[in-house]
Amino acid sequence: VTIIMPTLAMMAKERYAENPNSTDAFPEVAIFMELLDEKIHEAKDMLIERYQWMCKQNPESAKFMYENGLMMGYKPEEGIESALKHGTLVIGQIGLAETLQILIGCDHTEEKGMNLAKQIEQLFKYRCAEFKKGYKLNFGVYYTPAENMCYTAMNKFKKRYGTIPNVSDKDFFTNSMHVPVWKNMSPFEKIDIEAELTGYSSGGCITYIE
């Protein structure tokens, strides 16, 4: 389940506009973190529901997989959950750079942007570790390489919020926590910045260079 974070950031700004009584420098950030936490829990519920539904399926639904030992740990007497429980329940994300622009006016190529980025990623990591312990299932954080979704999500965002500089003035959101590819920097600089966040994901990472 992938969370489209720029939309949550705009929702946070809307909520603050309805009740602007905070003295914080960036009051929308606190609201955003609450919204994000809610969505991470909702994503967990979606994954559990999907997992439980899958576990009720007959092995005949994937006969080749189960009869040929392709699903490690499968025990016919215990049903397909004996294999599926070794899989990963993943909570993903897109649009970190745009989210930071909406909330604080810069992305994670600047220090204050990186500081907030780490707070956001730490919440993902902490919650997935909590779910993993509580449910005894492999919950993980995934930096979603969502090429198609990045376009679809942006189209929906533009219809709702219009064109916002450095946020929706292009055709797609950035994948997960990537530095936007249009930033003028060397490949080494880009990788060094992204490397500060890769440890928050339990599902690996990928980088794009143009």
Side-chain angles (χ1 to χ4, degrees):
V1 176
T2 294
I3 296 173
I4 302 167
M5 295 195 292
T7 302
L8 295 187
M10 292 301 294
M11 290 170 63
K13 290 181 75 71
E14 289 172 340
R15 286 196 184 181
Y16 176 68
E18 293 170 1
N19 186 26
N21 59 1
S22 175
T23 57
D24 294 344
F26 297 104
E28 296 95 339
V29 170
I31 301 173
F32 169 80
M33 294 301 288
E34 291 179 8
L35 284 170
L36 180 59
D37 203 16
E38 289 176 14
K39 293 303 176 185
I40 288 173
H41 278 83
E42 288 178 17
K44 176 263 295 179
D45 293 341
M46 293 178 196
L47 289 165
I48 289 292
E49 182 177 350
R50 186 184 303 168
Y51 172 78
Q52 291 174 340
W53 185 87
M54 289 174 66
C55 287
K56 293 177 182 176
Q57 304 311 300
N58 192 298
E60 292 290 320
S61 63
K63 191 173 182 180
F64 179 83
M65 301 286 285
Y66 295 112
E67 287 191 353
N68 291 279
L70 299 183
M71 295 291 284
M72 192 171 186
Y74 173 58
K75 299 176 182 178
E77 67 276 12
E78 295 181 12
I80 65 174
E81 186 171 9
S82 59
L84 294 180
K85 69 183 181 182
H86 299 295
T88 305
L89 285 73
V90 176
I91 300 177
Q93 57 179 274
I94 62 172
L96 176 64
E98 291 84 359
T99 299
L100 298 172
Q101 287 282 358
I102 293 167
L103 293 174
I104 60 174
C106 70
D107 59 34
H108 49 313
T109 58
E110 296 184 29
E111 185 177 1
K112 69 177 182 178
M114 179 59 77
N115 289 338
L116 179 54
K118 289 179 178 178
Q119 292 179 44
I120 292 170
E121 300 308 331
Q122 182 59 48
L123 180 60
F124 275 96
K125 184 176 181 178
Y126 175 79
R127 288 300 183 214
C128 283
E130 182 182 72
F131 301 153
K132 184 175 182 179
K133 183 178 180 180
Y135 289 90
K136 301 295 188 291
L137 291 169
N138 297 320
F139 278 90
V141 184
Y142 191 26
Y143 287 153
T144 311
E147 280 76 9
N148 290 334
M149 185 185 295
C150 286
Y151 283 94
T152 303
M154 178 61 84
N155 288 335
K156 290 183 177 181
F157 186 96
K158 284 182 177 180
K159 288 179 182 178
R160 183 170 177 179
Y161 299 111
T163 300
I164 302 171
N166 297 317
V167 175
S168 56
D169 53 354
K170 51 191 179 300
D171 294 329
F172 53 88
F173 285 124
T174 53
N175 282 342
S176 61
M177 55 73 197
H178 293 164
V179 171
V181 293
W182 54 87
K183 285 283 184 176
N184 186 17
M185 61 177 62
S186 75
F188 304 101
E189 290 173 309
K190 185 176 189 292
I191 291 170
D192 282 344
I193 292 169
E194 292 179 356
E196 292 193 46
L197 299 172
T198 54
Y200 293 95
S201 168
S202 54
C205 61
I206 188 170
T207 194
Y208 294 87
I209 301 296
E210 291 192 3

